[in-house]
């Protein structure tokens, strides 16, 4: 048995999220089905750096799994991509030490969130951005972002139905960048709670619309109450961009 | 009754093409269903500059229709976009003279065709490009493109099952442009036959791969035989970019 680490990309549009669920098309299901085929019916479990929700995309998700097959890395990539559906691609795959774990070895993650600011929506980006034609005050959003960097208890930005107990996370970078007709939020952190990026974006967009003052971010964090934060921004704008390992 | 001209955009991925067909989701069906709703059940026929095939996209398709409704242009756009599915958008709509005809008044059309030249396919562009990892000789393609400009009988580049008799068309511009990791073909012409752009691209890609010499394009045109041209490139790389009127 040797361990493999794979860098994978997926278009989340036609998936009910990453994790296996009954009667739903998920990324985990599709990848495990392909591995099972390659292993003559044997079930091979995959482990990801973390789940992604329905509609959420990945440019750089990382998974690992153990296999008894003896194939070189190029052949692994070719075989998997030949069998996978065209909305999941293996970008890279390599043998790693058996103590590597896609989730527990991760030290940082980067998520991006795309907002389309044109007057009309764009049919070609409808599954990849959140469309907001309302003008946004970028300076106010930047002020609000500054309150997020650092180590905080992010309970206020965590979906209520989570089982995680420790809600302290470190955000190393929280910024907004203009990219032509889009605004792109970038968050790099030690880890992110369930729905955290989407609730952060939803709250920051309320600041940008003038519904909240930038300074309120501090009070929202301190409240540790989900009710104090803004709406959860829709999943399709979110991309798991990169997972960092030592 | 007044005539309206609308500029529309659609993502062709989930459509069986433009034209009404039994038991198929088409752009014409969707737009006419919305117009029928707005006209309390009355059927309103729309007329496009031309059809597009299954999977083919439009950035600038033009349609016209006649309506007895008295609504201003802004309200028309808002009402239509509120009722249309999110893969069709009205970009502009205006009242025009009753002698305007989306198809017969058109004097030129521009189509673009996107080829992705990366080693791996990209999940986010799988419905919008033709992926070709084989390296292409761009200079050879450019030489071949030069044979296309001008007025020719394009029978060799027309799907065999067409009813059109006159196959003489003028191509004003036929070029290939590199755009980061993509190659984009641009064709501006007086009009295009059924599948013409896709057969042109399929043949040009064979030139780029060294399967044909650029000079062969002349002989292919002169043959007037579909069998002499290359394969029909897949629909998803094609976009109806712009329709020109006087």
């Amino acid at each position: 048995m040797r361990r493999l680490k794979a860098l994978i990309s997926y278009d989340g549009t036609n998936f009910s999220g990453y994790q296996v669920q009954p009667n739903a098309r998920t990324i985990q299901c599709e990848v495990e089905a392909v591995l099972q085929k390659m292993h003559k019916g044997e079930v091979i479990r995959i482990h990801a750096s973390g789940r992604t929700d329905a509609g959420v995309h990945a440019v750089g998700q990382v998974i690992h799994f153990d296999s008894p097959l003896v194939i070189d890395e190029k052949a692994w990539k070719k075989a998997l991509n030949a069998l996978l559906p065209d909305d999941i691609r293996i970008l890279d795959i390599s043998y790693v030490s058996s103590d590597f774990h896609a989730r527990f070895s991760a030290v940082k993650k980067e998520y991006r969130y795309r907002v389309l600011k044109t007057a009309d929506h764009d049919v070609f980006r409808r599954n990849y951005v959140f469309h907001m034609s309302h003008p946004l005050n970028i300076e106010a959003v930047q002020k609000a972002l500054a309150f997020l960097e650092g180590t905080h208890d992010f309970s206020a930005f965590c979906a209520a139905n989570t089982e995680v107990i420790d809600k302290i996370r470190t955000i190393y970078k929280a910024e907004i960048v203009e990219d032509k007709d889009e605004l792109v939020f970038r968050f790099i952190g030690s880890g992110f709670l369930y729905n955290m990026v989407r609730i952060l974006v939803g709250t920051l967009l309320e600041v940008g619309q003038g519904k909240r003052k930038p300074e309120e971010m501090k009070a929202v964090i301190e409240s540790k109450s989900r009710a104090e934060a803004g709406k959860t921004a829709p999943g399709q704008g979110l991309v798991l961009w990169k997972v960092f390992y030592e």
Side-chain angles (χ1 to χ4, degrees), chain A residues 102-117:
Chain A
R103 182 167 161 214
F104 301 122
S105 306
V107 293
K108 285 194 295 186
K109 270 186 186 179
E110 177 171 350
Y111 276 97
R112 296 193 182 181
Y113 195 99
R114 292 166 63 186
V115 176
L116 179 66
K117 55 180 180 155

Side-chain angles (χ1 to χ4, degrees), chain A residues 15-72:
Chain A
F15 290 104
S16 305
Y18 172 80
Q19 198 177 34
V20 170
Q21 293 174 45
N23 307 317
R25 183 171 186 257
T26 71
I27 292 109
Q28 189 184 353
C29 278
E30 294 285 342
V31 176
E32 290 184 349
V34 164
L35 286 171
Q36 190 168 2
K37 211 172 274 177
M38 286 180 69
H39 291 77
K40 298 179 178 169
E42 192 187 338
V43 174
I44 304 289
R45 272 277 159 266
I46 65 169
H47 301 269
S49 72
R51 309 170 196 172
T52 50
D53 282 340
V56 175
H57 315 288
V59 160
Q61 171 69 288
V62 174
I63 59 166
H64 82 257
F65 59 91
D66 295 322
S67 167
L69 295 185
V70 183
I71 322 180
D72 78 14

Side-chain angles (χ1 to χ4, degrees), chain A residues 4-11 15 17-18 26-32 35 46-50 52 56-65 77 80-81 84 87-94 102 239-243 245:
Chain A
L4 286 126
K5 171 191 178 188
L7 180 71
I8 74 170
S9 174
Y10 45 81
D11 177 336
F15 290 104
Y18 172 80
T26 71
I27 292 109
Q28 189 184 353
C29 278
E30 294 285 342
V31 176
E32 290 184 349
L35 286 171
I46 65 169
H47 301 269
S49 72
T52 50
V56 175
H57 315 288
V59 160
Q61 171 69 288
V62 174
I63 59 166
H64 82 257
F65 59 91
K77 182 174 167 182
L80 286 167
N81 279 336
L84 282 167
D87 47 1
I88 307 180
R89 284 295 93 180
I90 305 289
L91 302 180
D92 194 32
I93 183 163
S94 54
V239 186
L240 171 54
W241 195 262
K242 192 174 175 179
V243 187
Y245 296 92

Side-chain angles (χ1 to χ4, degrees), chain A residues 25-194:
Chain A
R25 183 171 186 257
T26 71
I27 292 109
Q28 189 184 353
C29 278
E30 294 285 342
V31 176
E32 290 184 349
V34 164
L35 286 171
Q36 190 168 2
K37 211 172 274 177
M38 286 180 69
H39 291 77
K40 298 179 178 169
E42 192 187 338
V43 174
I44 304 289
R45 272 277 159 266
I46 65 169
H47 301 269
S49 72
R51 309 170 196 172
T52 50
D53 282 340
V56 175
H57 315 288
V59 160
Q61 171 69 288
V62 174
I63 59 166
H64 82 257
F65 59 91
D66 295 322
S67 167
L69 295 185
V70 183
I71 322 180
D72 78 14
E73 294 164 343
K74 269 193 186 169
W76 263 113
K77 182 174 167 182
K78 208 172 166 179
L80 286 167
N81 279 336
L83 293 167
L84 282 167
D86 67 357
D87 47 1
I88 307 180
R89 284 295 93 180
I90 305 289
L91 302 180
D92 194 32
I93 183 163
S94 54
Y95 285 102
V96 287
S97 149
S98 62
D99 60 5
F100 172 84
H101 193 289
R103 182 167 161 214
F104 301 122
S105 306
V107 293
K108 285 194 295 186
K109 270 186 186 179
E110 177 171 350
Y111 276 97
R112 296 193 182 181
Y113 195 99
R114 292 166 63 186
V115 176
L116 179 66
K117 55 180 180 155
T118 50
D120 292 317
H121 204 338
D122 177 355
V123 292
F124 302 105
R125 283 182 280 183
R126 70 193 191 284
N127 297 322
Y128 311 113
V129 296
F130 176 35
H131 180 234
M132 181 168 265
S133 52
H134 188 294
L136 293 171
N137 180 341
I138 304 300
E139 266 182 56
V141 175
Q142 281 167 331
K143 272 190 196 164
L145 281 162
F147 290 100
L148 297 174
E149 293 188 354
T151 303
H152 305 286
D153 181 325
F154 283 101
S155 298
F157 298 97
C158 178
N161 54 341
T162 184
E163 291 161 18
V164 179
I165 293 161
D166 176 15
K167 291 174 183 167
I168 295 172
R169 296 290 183 276
T170 300
I171 293 189
Y172 301 108
K173 194 167 201 77
E175 61 175 16
I176 187 166
V177 178
E178 293 209 54
D179 182 10
K180 291 174 205 159
D181 53 4
E182 293 184 17
L183 294 169
V184 182
F185 287 94
R186 284 182 62 198
F187 297 95
I188 300 178
S190 60
F192 293 89
L193 301 164
Y194 186 50

Side-chain angles (χ1 to χ4, degrees), chain A residues 219-235:
Chain A
V220 175
I221 295 171
E222 284 168 1
S223 76
K224 298 179 195 170
S225 158
R226 172 67 189 89
E228 297 302 312
K231 281 187 194 161
T232 306

